[in-house]
Amino acid sequence: MLDALVIAPHPDDAELGMGGAIASMKAAGWRVGVLDLTSGEPTPHGTPEIRAAETAAATLVLGLDWRENLGLPNRCLQNTLDARRQLAEVIRRVRPRWLFAPYWIDAHPDHTAATQLVEDARFWGKLTKTDMAGDPFHAERIFYYYCVHLRLAVQPAFVLDISSHWETKLAAIRCYASQFVTGRPTGPHSFLDQLRDEAAYWGRLIGRPYGEPFASREPLALSGLDRLF
Ligand SMILES: [Zn+2]
């Protein structure tokens, strides 16, 4: 059903980490979905209702084909057997060719729990002789996006050129005003400015205006070198 499923601990992590890649995949005609694992609330300036409305607005901006929230506990996300089963059942239902998970090193325990949960649920997705809903399914690839609460000096597996999609990413992130605008410093070093600087940094490393980095635990498989630049 889906070409790619982005799994996010909180509503806004998918947009922050790979909003440009999502817009890029959509522009290429892929069917792309986002599964938020928790509500992301409480936060200092958000409420569940505000966050849900912001998420709906960002979903429209990105043109997602599918988005749901698994309803797991925010701040207390854990890779439990029950959570793994719930996520595996979603994977068996939407059958994404590729999965995207948060990067495995992070200060936020929900994020590192999400990484483990996605990897384990991906494996459970293919199990036979189980009472899980849906038919067995194994996502071909899993890549990791960076929405990290640490200042890491990372060595990504690849950097995607998102120059044509930067404005879409920014518009999607602006939807989450309760997270990135309200109560944040304005002026030349606002959060959104820092985000632009980061995208420009990754773009500079590949000779393009804006980029997004991705990690992979396995080597990348290329059928040819024609897509490299
Ligand atoms: Zn998060």
Side-chain angles (χ1 to χ4, degrees):
M1 277 182 55
L2 293 180
D3 295 299
L5 176 64
V6 184
I7 299 174
H10 312 109
D12 70 11
D13 288 319
E15 287 85 351
L16 278 177
M18 55 177 292
I22 290 172
S24 169
M25 289 189 284
K26 283 303 303 164
W30 288 32
R31 287 182 55 79
V32 183
V34 171
L35 179 68
D36 300 306
L37 296 176
T38 75
S39 70
E41 293 299 326
T43 57
H45 303 288
T47 67
E49 295 74 24
I50 290 171
R51 193 69 169 265
E54 292 174 343
T55 306
T59 300
L60 276 181
V61 168
L62 292 174
L64 290 172
D65 299 284
W66 183 93
R67 187 169 201 160
E68 286 186 10
N69 192 304
L70 204 54
L72 297 173
N74 183 51
R75 293 180 174 175
C76 303
L77 186 63
Q78 287 191 308
N79 181 19
T80 63
L81 293 181
D82 186 55
R84 188 187 302 170
R85 162 187 289 267
Q86 288 185 54
L87 181 52
E89 288 185 340
V90 171
I91 291 171
R92 289 158 77 100
R93 173 155 55 94
V94 302
R95 311 179 83 73
R97 192 172 154 227
W98 287 8
L99 284 175
F100 290 89
Y103 185 57
W104 54 81
I105 299 171
D106 205 325
H108 197 319
D110 282 1
H111 286 212
T112 48
T115 309
Q116 278 303 309
L117 187 52
V118 175
E119 290 180 343
D120 292 351
R122 177 197 183 208
F123 194 91
W124 266 28
K126 68 180 178 182
L127 296 184
T128 57
K129 298 177 182 171
T130 163
D131 59 357
M132 277 189 292
D135 293 324
F137 178 80
H138 190 243
E140 278 175 31
R141 281 272 168 188
I142 177 164
F143 295 117
Y144 302 83
Y145 59 93
Y146 296 91
C147 55
V148 177
H149 292 247
L150 279 174
R151 295 187 185 94
L152 294 177
V154 298
Q155 188 69 52
F158 64 93
V159 178
L160 182 71
D161 175 13
I162 60 156
S163 306
S164 309
H165 307 288
W166 166 251
E167 292 301 333
T168 305
K169 172 172 183 166
L170 190 60
I173 289 170
R174 277 188 203 281
C175 293
Y176 294 94
S178 73
Q179 304 302 305
F180 306 124
V181 181
T182 311
R184 294 255 188 187
T186 53
H189 299 296
S190 70
F191 177 80
L192 296 178
D193 285 339
Q194 290 172 28
L195 210 64
R196 182 189 299 269
D197 290 348
E198 235 172 78
Y201 168 79
W202 289 112
R204 185 164 177 75
L205 293 188
I206 57 167
R208 293 290 191 274
Y210 296 110
E212 266 173 358
F214 289 87
S216 173
R217 291 197 195 267
E218 298 175 316
L220 296 185
L222 295 179
S223 58
L225 296 176
D226 56 319
R227 300 296 296 273
L228 290 175
F229 60 82

